[in-house]
């Protein structure tokens, strides 16, 4: 814009002159804070500009961090989640293998401890009827399994084989209402018969009322029934009550957790009934 | 040429103002000769001339006083511009309109000048109305005198030249 043109624009000139004067005044007049108005205005103006710029930059950065940058994060998150799922599956598999290994170790220890011929079997199915507590194992007649053979687990007595087939067998659990086993209180040798109640618990019948039985006593097989070898744990006395005068009423908690039963041992040889005191 | 005349007028006004002690009456300045020159230049030369004269005259006044540099400049700049605008919009040739114009310009200048000082809390003005009224009257008279002089002086010079020429021819 030429100088002559500026002369034709008095308004512009006035604005320039006023601005010049205001700037001049501002550079001299001090505010209550001791700073000149010029400094205050310039600083205030720039600080507001900086605040605005900071707000804009912050907003842009926020948008970037919240959206654009998160696009990669989302993909990474999905990849990590998939990896986590895979690792969780792998962990469960490893834990399962470890549990199986522990179970096998226990079975091997039991097998070494029991002076009987046994074979390991895996539970492949649970009972089909809730009225009958049974499981199916993967060993049958071809493996030497026969009816009335005892089935045990590391933690105690499981039951007996009731229906063997060539490659599988049906096992009646000791907690079935029709199951029974000769039993003895390990601590005091008080004898009786442990029967299944049908609700997952056991009851010990025919234990003399004169016998010393208290809660917490361990109940083991006596071996007099000709089915179960002597000395296998049936359970623990949970409650003892006075019966009809002749026998205790004893509630027994099974030693085996039948809900987690996976591997068992089948005692392949039948044995003669043991007679307490004669043996 | 006109710019030089303006500069000379401003210089004379400043010198006269300082030499007269502000033409005070009861402690208050009765006339602001620089403002009179600014308004005169604005009425005769337009808003740009008034603006320039106001800026220059005001700044010089501020520089020679103990006030804030720019306060008088700002007031006179705006007044010069407005007076120039007024002069281009209205015919101000009669004596009374000229007095009114100078008085109004004085009032506007006082409002701007005192208002700026009061706004910044730098100075108080006791009884400003009386002072402004006295100065408006003084500036009005001074302005009219300026116009009369500016109109009479060229004619007087012309007449004197003509008279001298006639004597030589005889």
């Amino acid at each position: 814009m030429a100088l002559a043109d500026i002369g034709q624009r008095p308004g512009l000139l006035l604005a320039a002159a006023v601005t010049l004067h205001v700037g001049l005044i501002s550079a001299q007049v001090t505010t209550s804070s001791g700073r000149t108005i010029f400094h205050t205005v310039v600083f205030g103006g720039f600080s507001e500009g900086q605040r605005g710029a900071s707000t804009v930059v912050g907003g842009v950065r926020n948008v970037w961090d919240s959206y654009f940058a998160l696009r990669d994060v989302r993909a990474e998150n999905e990849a990590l989640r998939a990896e986590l799922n895979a690792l969780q599956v792998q962990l469960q598999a490893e834990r399962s293998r470890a549990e199986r290994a522990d179970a096998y170790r226990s079975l091997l220890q039991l097998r070494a401890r029991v002076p009987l011929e046994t074979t390991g079997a895996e539970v492949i199915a649970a009972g089909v009827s809730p009225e009958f507590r049974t499981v199916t194992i993967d060993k049958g007649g071809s493996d030497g399994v026969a009816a009335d053979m005892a089935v045990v687990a590391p933690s105690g007595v499981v039951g007996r084989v009731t229906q063997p087939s060539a490659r599988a067998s049906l096992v009646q659990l000791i907690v079935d209402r029709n199951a029974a086993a000769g039993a003895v209180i390990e601590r005091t040798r008080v004898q009786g018969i442990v029967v299944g109640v049908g609700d997952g618990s056991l009851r010990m019948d025919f234990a003399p009322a004169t016998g010393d039985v208290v809660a917490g006593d361990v109940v083991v097989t006596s071996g007099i029934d000709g089915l179960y070898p002597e000395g296998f744990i049936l359970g623990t006395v949970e409650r003892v009550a006075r019966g009809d005068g002749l026998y205790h009423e004893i509630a027994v908690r099974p030693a085996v957790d039948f809900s987690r039963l996976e591997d068992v041992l089948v005692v392949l040889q039948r044995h003669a009934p043991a007679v307490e005191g004669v043996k | 040429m006109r710019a030089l005349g303006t500069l000379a007028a401003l210089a004379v006004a400043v010198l006269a103002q300082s030499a007269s002690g502000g033409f005070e009456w009861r402690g208050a300045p009765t006339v602001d000769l620089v403002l009179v020159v600014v308004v005169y230049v604005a009425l005769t030369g337009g808003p740009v001339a008034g603006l320039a004269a106001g800026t220059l005259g005001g700044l010089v006044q501020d520089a020679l006083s103990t006030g804030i540099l720019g306060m008088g400049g700002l007031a006179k700049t705006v007044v010069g511009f407005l007076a120039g605008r007024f002069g281009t919009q209205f015919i101000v040739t009669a004596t009374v309109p000229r007095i009114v114009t100078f008085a109004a310009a004085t009032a506007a200048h006082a409002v701007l000048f005192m208002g700026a000082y009061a706004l910044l809390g730098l100075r108080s003005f006791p009884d400003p109305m009386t002072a402004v009224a006295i100065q408006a009257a003084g500036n009005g008279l001074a302005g009219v005198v300026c116009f009369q002089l500016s109109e009479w002086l060229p004619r007087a010079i012309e007449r004197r030249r003509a008279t001298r020429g006639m004597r030589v021819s005889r």
Side-chain angles (χ1 to χ4, degrees):
Chain A
M1 186 181 290
L3 199 61
D5 293 336
I6 294 175
Q8 299 301 316
R9 295 171 181 269
L12 197 63
L13 276 175
L14 176 67
V18 168
T19 303
L20 174 74
H21 282 93
V22 169
L24 197 61
I25 294 167
S26 300
Q28 302 167 77
V29 179
T30 56
T31 61
S32 56
S33 63
R35 299 179 66 82
T36 63
I37 291 178
F38 182 77
H39 283 120
T40 304
V41 170
V42 168
F43 178 73
F46 270 93
S47 63
E48 290 304 318
Q50 287 168 333
R51 189 199 308 276
S54 174
T55 302
V56 171
V57 171
V60 170
R61 182 177 295 164
N62 187 36
V63 169
W64 180 268
D65 291 343
S66 303
Y67 180 69
F68 293 105
L70 283 183
R71 290 197 304 180
D72 295 337
V73 171
R74 178 179 294 177
E76 186 181 358
N77 193 22
E78 288 175 355
L80 287 172
R81 189 171 292 155
E83 188 177 354
L84 179 64
N85 290 337
L87 286 173
Q88 282 180 335
V89 170
Q90 189 177 344
L91 179 64
Q92 288 179 8
E94 293 294 335
R95 186 176 294 164
S96 175
R97 283 196 200 98
E99 288 177 354
R100 294 298 298 272
D102 288 342
Y104 287 141
R105 189 184 302 114
S106 299
L107 278 177
L108 285 172
Q109 289 171 350
L110 175 65
R111 195 171 186 176
R113 193 172 69 237
V114 175
L116 301 168
E117 187 182 355
T118 58
T119 181
E122 187 177 344
V123 175
I124 57 175
V128 294
S129 171
E131 296 297 323
F132 301 95
R133 307 297 300 270
T134 59
V135 292
T136 303
I137 58 175
D138 63 346
K139 294 291 174 64
S142 59
D143 301 298
V145 176
D148 290 333
M149 284 185 171
V151 179
V152 296
S155 53
V157 173
V158 174
R160 69 184 178 96
V161 176
T162 56
Q163 191 176 327
S165 66
R167 297 177 58 193
S169 298
L170 188 67
V171 176
Q172 180 193 47
L173 301 180
I174 192 66
V175 291
D176 185 82
R177 69 173 68 249
N178 295 321
V184 62
I185 301 296
E186 190 177 42
R187 180 176 62 87
T188 58
R189 310 309 293 179
V190 173
Q191 295 204 33
I193 297 175
V194 166
V195 298
V197 178
D199 61 353
S201 63
L202 298 170
R203 187 180 72 236
M204 187 170 180
D205 292 340
F206 306 114
T210 55
D212 179 13
V213 181
V214 294
D217 280 343
V218 175
V219 183
V220 298
T221 52
S222 64
I224 63 171
D225 51 22
L227 288 175
Y228 299 102
E230 182 188 2
F232 283 89
I233 299 174
L234 285 163
T236 307
V237 174
E238 199 169 38
R239 188 176 59 255
V240 181
R242 171 71 72 175
D244 55 5
L246 293 177
Y247 304 105
H248 285 302
E249 286 185 357
I250 303 171
V252 178
R253 185 172 64 246
V256 175
D257 182 1
F258 293 100
S259 65
R260 299 181 61 185
L261 197 60
E262 290 182 345
D263 299 290
V264 295
L265 284 180
V266 181
V267 180
L268 292 176
Q269 65 182 83
R270 291 195 183 92
H271 61 283
V275 178
E276 189 74 17
V278 176
K279 182 183 169 187
Chain B
M1 185 65 187
R2 183 176 183 81
L4 285 176
T6 301
L7 283 174
L10 285 173
V12 169
V14 169
L15 289 174
Q17 187 83 23
S18 58
S20 67
F23 302 99
E24 289 186 358
W25 184 64
R26 293 185 178 181
T30 54
V31 67
D32 184 348
L33 290 179
V34 177
L35 178 61
V36 171
V37 171
V38 168
V39 175
Y40 174 83
V41 170
L43 290 175
T44 56
V48 174
L51 185 149
T55 299
L56 185 63
L59 286 176
V60 170
Q61 254 187 329
D62 288 334
L64 296 175
S65 68
T66 56
I68 301 296
L69 187 65
M71 286 291 201
L74 176 65
K76 285 184 172 61
T77 299
V78 175
V79 168
F81 178 82
L82 293 177
R85 278 283 189 202
F86 185 79
T88 57
Q89 300 294 323
F90 303 98
I91 299 170
V92 189
T93 53
T95 302
V96 174
R98 282 176 176 167
I99 291 176
V100 171
T101 302
F102 275 95
T106 304
H109 177 266
V111 168
L112 289 168
F113 187 79
M114 295 179 184
Y117 267 107
L119 195 67
L120 296 173
L122 300 172
R123 190 173 159 186
S124 60
F125 296 90
D127 195 14
M129 300 298 287
T130 305
V132 171
I134 291 170
Q135 197 179 103
N139 286 348
L141 287 174
V144 169
V145 170
C146 278
F147 268 106
Q148 294 292 340
L149 280 176
S150 66
E151 291 165 358
W152 171 81
L153 198 60
R155 275 182 283 176
I157 293 172
E158 189 66 29
R159 223 175 9 249
R160 184 166 184 155
R161 281 180 182 169
T163 306
R164 188 178 293 174
M166 287 174 65
R167 285 178 184 171
V168 170
S169 62
R170 285 178 185 175

